[in-house]
Structures are given as C-alpha cells and as structure tokens.
Amino acid sequence: MAKNTFLIRTTVTCSHTGAAFAQTELDLGSYTNLGSSKPEVLRIHSAHVYFQNSDGTIPFMGGDKAGTINYQLATSSQTALMQASDDSFLLGGQAGVRNGDSANNPPTDGFAESFMPQDLTAGQVVAVPSLFLGGAIGAEFTQDGNITLILECTTEAMSKANAVALAISQQ
C-alpha cells in the first residue's frame, strides 16, 4: 500500500541590499532517524518554489534593471551559493530577470533553470538530520525577497548500514 505524502515548508528571506547569501535550517528530526534499530529516511518526491515579498506578491525591481534570484537546498550548512556538483547539493535553481519598464515593477522577462526531485525517476532520498535552504537576490530589487520551498515527501524504512552510508555520502 502506498504511503500518504505530506508537505514540509521552509522560507529564507533574502536581502535586496548587498545581495548577501541567506540561509535557514530545516530540522528533519521528526522524519529521519538513523539511531534506531529501524532507521527512517525521507523521500522528497517534488519541490515547488515561490518568490514573494512580505505582502505575498512578487518583489519589485528598479526601473530598467536586470538581476538574479538564486536558491539551493543542501544537506550541510553553507556560507555562499555552491555548485550543483557539490555532494551536499540536493536541489536548486537560478533565474536572470529583468524589469524593462522605466518604473519600479516586478520583473517581466527572465531566464530560469532548476534541478528538482521531480526531474528524477523516484525523487530524492535524504538521511541527514537537517537540510539548509539558502538563497540570494540581486541588489536591483527594491524589496527583500522570501524564497519559500514546499516539499512533497514520504518516509520509508532503510537498513541501518544503507541509511548511514547515504547520510555520509550527502555531507
């Protein structure tokens, strides 16, 4: 019998001043347990990303400006954006966006690319106690941006040896 999926949500607020990297920790202690005789791991089936300001709308950019939006979900804490080839990189995306209007408005043009669990045959299995959502936006934005990640997940049993090996490989 198939397990019911559930949602996990997390948000990181990215400052529009200085384009600094921001990160928040997502505690998975309720979902992953490698210490028991019957370890549980988390399977992420799909992920959905929303970029909003504090009012729930798309952040504005300065008139006739172009900028970037970057986000990543990692299995270890980061101090900056990382390469997708890093072992701790689970998913992420980047977008180059533009507001071609002369007035402050949300971006209307852009290029975006992402790597998500739904791009894979069976999603991604996670065996670490925490995940880290990080992001950065360009200083061309006139408002801070909240990057929210919504994960559709299930938990599943895994042998202790396999769960520990998976956790080590994700560091």
Side-chain angles (χ1 to χ4, degrees), residues 66-89:
T68 59
I69 305 165
N70 299 280
Y71 64 92
Q72 63 193 26
L73 187 66
T75 58
S76 61
S77 182
Q78 305 296 314
T79 58
L81 293 167
M82 60 198 229
Q83 296 293 316
S85 58
D86 190 293
D87 286 343
S88 65
F89 180 90

Side-chain angles (χ1 to χ4, degrees), residues 38-122:
K38 295 181 181 182
E40 290 263 316
V41 295
L42 184 73
R43 182 175 299 275
I44 304 171
H45 298 276
S46 63
H48 301 279
V49 178
Y50 292 87
F51 181 57
Q52 302 170 299
N53 64 20
S54 61
D55 295 333
T57 61
I58 299 172
F60 279 40
M61 298 181 79
D64 200 28
K65 299 284 185 187
T68 59
I69 305 165
N70 299 280
Y71 64 92
Q72 63 193 26
L73 187 66
T75 58
S76 61
S77 182
Q78 305 296 314
T79 58
L81 293 167
M82 60 198 229
Q83 296 293 316
S85 58
D86 190 293
D87 286 343
S88 65
F89 180 90
L90 281 181
L91 62 90
Q94 56 189 6
V97 295
R98 177 172 174 75
N99 169 19
D101 298 335
S102 59
N104 289 356
N105 279 306
T108 56
D109 299 316
F111 163 80
E113 62 184 357
S114 64
F115 175 75
M116 303 299 243
Q118 58 266 33
D119 296 332
L120 305 170
T121 302

